[in-house]
Amino acid sequence: MFGLSKLFSSKSVQKQPILTALAGYRSAAFAVGIDEKFIKSIESKNDKSILLHLTLPFAALSEMPKVAAFVSQQLNQAVTINASIELTEACKFKAIKHIVLIASGKGGVGKSTTAVNLAGALKAEGAKVGVLDADIYGPSIPMLLGLEGATPTAKNDKQLLPFDANGIKAQSIGFLVPSDDATVWRGPMASGALTQLLNETAWGELDYLIVDMPPGTGDIQLTMSQKVPASGTVIVTTPQDLALADAQKGIAMFNKVNVPVLGLIENMSHFLCSHCGKPNHVFGKDGAIKLAQRHGVPVLSQIPLAIDIREYSEQGKLIAMDNQAAVSETYADAARLIASMLYYQQPHHNSVEIVITDD
Ligand SMILES: Nc1ncnc2c1ncn2[C@@H]1O[C@H](COP(=O)(O)OP(=O)(O)OP(=O)(O)O)[C@@H](O)[C@H]1O
């Protein structure tokens, strides 16, 4: 129906079994399988193996070896996948497809660390990514990206050039205002500075812009989230009761301003014992899962309390971009899931529904 016959380079390839196998693949990011419209072409190689060229509409490249293994098993034939990503939806702001807010009800839960590593993971999944540090109380993105001491440069009279950190474009509110001044800020000032940074940075084309919001759910955070044309928000929490109570306030706030809550990330979820390898639930267990269930949102990831997460951060490096580090997979899983939800929440898809309830 999509003129797929044109995509087959060899008449000897049986297309239907390939389409059936792809449609039957299941994972968190591909909850409804792999649609035939993601297929660019199918090649039959001389050695009888199959090469699939896919164009994915969201960032999920690292899952392709798993997909290839699944299809190979279904067909009983060697299959490899060559994939790229191309988001099909219209830009939400300038040449930016999606703006995703990373928020927390409470300070110090690891929101900024999670924001930069999600950006790194999305980049590793094949996307064009930017990070905007909007945390007026403690802008830490420059430090987390190894940009400390850098000063912004202007492209022309009206535009600032974003920084480049490992191919991620970055800008920080900290370059505009000293953080000491932020304590006396009110909502309109903060949202004004955020809008100015969004507008006046030469972001170029981005698939995802990750915005590190100030912690809390007060007037400032409310006004800021109203000003940004966000596709969704991710709320970071730790498993402690206090953090969860504040995360709940965050869900209510975003509900009020109609920004979809894509899900919760439970950071410092558990500590893996270096001797026995077992998870130790230092701050409590399953609190985020229960909160998420009450509000009909998913838990996108449970990130461990890990010494190397802190160490990489202190060195201005992104652990999510180091595939030798075990925890990078946790960030990758969350990044693919977020990217998938943003795709499937578009009006023309109704297979994944985001439900936000009052509590
Ligand atoms: N999963 C983790 N494992 C170990 N250390 C972590 C983890 N997440 C964050 N940290 C550490 O916790 C500290 C606070 O993290 P971060 O600055 O990201 O928190 P935040 O919520 O953004 O804080 P703020 O509210 O001040 O903006 C940092 O030292 C960071 O390296």
Side-chain angles (χ1 to χ4, degrees):
M1 70 173 157
F2 292 100
L4 264 182
S5 54
K6 288 191 202 132
L7 306 176
F8 290 84
S9 59
S10 160
K11 296 228 177 321
S12 64
V13 185
Q14 288 283 312
K15 68 174 181 181
Q16 198 50 51
I18 299 173
L19 302 188
T20 307
L22 285 169
Y25 178 80
R26 289 290 180 276
S27 72
F30 293 97
V32 288
I34 295 185
D35 199 308
E36 65 182 66
K37 67 180 180 230
F38 303 170
I39 304 172
K40 200 164 143 203
S41 64
I42 300 179
E43 269 179 54
S44 173
K45 310 291 280 182
N46 290 339
D47 64 359
K48 304 273 185 248
S49 70
I50 292 169
L51 173 60
L52 299 177
H53 294 272
L54 303 184
T55 308
L56 304 175
F58 56 88
L61 290 188
S62 74
E63 200 163 324
M64 292 306 107
K66 252 192 204 165
V67 176
F70 175 81
V71 179
S72 295
Q73 196 196 24
Q74 297 293 303
L75 302 180
N76 206 10
Q77 191 171 7
V79 174
T80 46
I81 295 181
N82 188 337
S84 58
I85 74 155
E86 199 178 310
L87 273 64
T88 47
E89 47 266 39
C91 292
K92 296 284 181 312
F93 178 78
K94 293 192 172 177
I96 303 172
K97 298 266 165 139
H98 289 292
I99 299 181
V100 181
L101 309 180
I102 310 295
S104 69
K106 190 179 172 304
V109 296
K111 169 184 52 62
S112 305
T113 307
T114 307
V116 284
N117 278 298
L118 282 178
L122 284 166
K123 169 89 184 115
E125 296 291 341
K128 295 190 271 293
V129 185
V131 181
L132 173 54
D133 182 3
D135 188 350
I136 51 170
Y137 301 121
S140 51
I141 299 291
M143 189 270 282
L144 290 168
L145 291 178
L147 297 170
E148 249 180 331
T151 47
T153 47
K155 185 180 175 197
N156 50 40
D157 275 356
K158 291 200 175 114
Q159 294 247 286
L160 283 174
L161 282 171
F163 294 92
D164 185 296
N166 299 308
I168 296 169
K169 290 182 180 170
Q171 185 60 277
S172 172
I173 209 160
F175 295 132
L176 281 193
V177 281
S179 55
D180 294 350
D181 293 357
T183 45
V184 294
W185 278 30
R186 309 211 52 99
M189 281 171 79
S191 59
L194 176 58
T195 319
Q196 191 186 345
L197 266 190
L198 256 182
N199 279 316
E200 294 177 12
T201 299
W203 295 107
E205 282 181 25
L206 290 182
D207 294 320
Y208 307 99
L209 177 65
I210 302 295
V211 181
D212 184 27
M213 294 288 281
T217 50
D219 162 53
I220 286 186
Q221 294 78 1
L222 187 77
T223 326
M224 282 171 110
S225 32
Q226 273 171 318
K227 284 282 169 173
V228 181
S231 302
T233 186
V234 171
I235 298 179
V236 182
T237 181
T238 54
Q240 290 109 314
D241 289 347
L242 268 182
L244 289 165
D246 286 343
Q248 176 155 327
K249 287 185 199 157
I251 296 176
M253 182 185 84
F254 287 108
N255 195 7
K256 204 179 282 174
V257 294
N258 291 322
V259 178
V261 177
L262 300 171
L264 302 181
I265 286 189
E266 188 178 73
N267 191 35
M268 309 191 202
S269 171
H270 53 273
F271 179 74
L272 288 177
C273 173
S274 55
H275 298 295
C276 67
K278 282 195 182 145
N280 199 325
H281 294 90
V282 193
F283 299 128
K285 192 167 179 276
D286 293 341
I289 292 177
K290 286 181 194 142
L291 177 65
Q293 280 169 349
R294 275 212 304 284
H295 290 273
V297 296
V299 172
L300 301 166
S301 183
Q302 291 180 299
I303 300 169
L305 176 70
I307 292 168
D308 50 358
I309 294 182
R310 182 187 53 75
E311 284 177 347
Y312 271 65
S313 295
E314 284 172 1
Q315 293 164 28
K317 294 195 301 193
L318 296 180
I319 197 163
M321 293 188 93
D322 179 356
N323 55 20
Q324 299 298 309
V327 79
S328 67
E329 223 168 284
T330 315
Y331 288 111
D333 291 346
R336 287 195 306 270
L337 188 51
I338 291 168
S340 157
M341 291 178 81
L342 292 170
Y343 172 69
Y344 285 106
Q345 79 170 11
Q346 300 303 306
H348 57 281
H349 296 290
N350 48 14
S351 15
V352 175
E353 194 186 352
I354 294 172
V355 182
I356 303 170
T357 57
D358 281 317
D359 204 24

